[in-house]
Amino acid sequence: MPATRRRLFVALAFGFAGAALAYVVLRLIESRWFPEPDPAIVVWSDRSRFVWRALLAAYAGGAAVFGGHALASRSIEAAAVWLVRFTFAAAIALALQGALVP
């Protein structure tokens, strides 16, 4: 596989993990400072908080792609090591967020 394609795949993986981590951070911020109203009271809403969280997380994940590509351009081995750490941290954060702040 060409080195350019490997760098691209590593950068995309950083983006996906970054999006997951950003979603957790946004969900925790919203649950702490902006609690959601009771669904029984709110029948219809023009805005979905989940959609906005997902869009902002995707935006932050897109920013993480650039960081992943820069790291992979310097050293693909170092990028692979940091990708495993970053993905593990995102997975643990997502599991904890799902268990503690659903």
Side-chain angles (χ1 to χ4, degrees), residues 37-79:
D38 184 15
I41 297 171
V42 179
V43 177
W44 175 259
S45 176
D46 292 337
R47 293 172 276 160
S48 171
R49 295 179 105 176
F50 169 74
V51 171
W52 283 107
R53 271 194 310 267
L55 286 174
L56 287 172
Y59 182 78
V65 167
F66 293 107
H69 187 272
L71 183 59
S73 295
R74 292 181 139 242
S75 170
I76 195 73
E77 291 83 14

Side-chain angles (χ1 to χ4, degrees), residues 11-37:
L12 287 174
F14 266 102
F16 289 133
L21 198 57
Y23 181 84
V24 171
V25 170
L26 289 169
R27 179 68 182 114
L28 293 177
I29 289 171
E30 278 191 3
S31 69
R32 174 69 176 113
W33 284 299
F34 308 105
E36 295 180 358

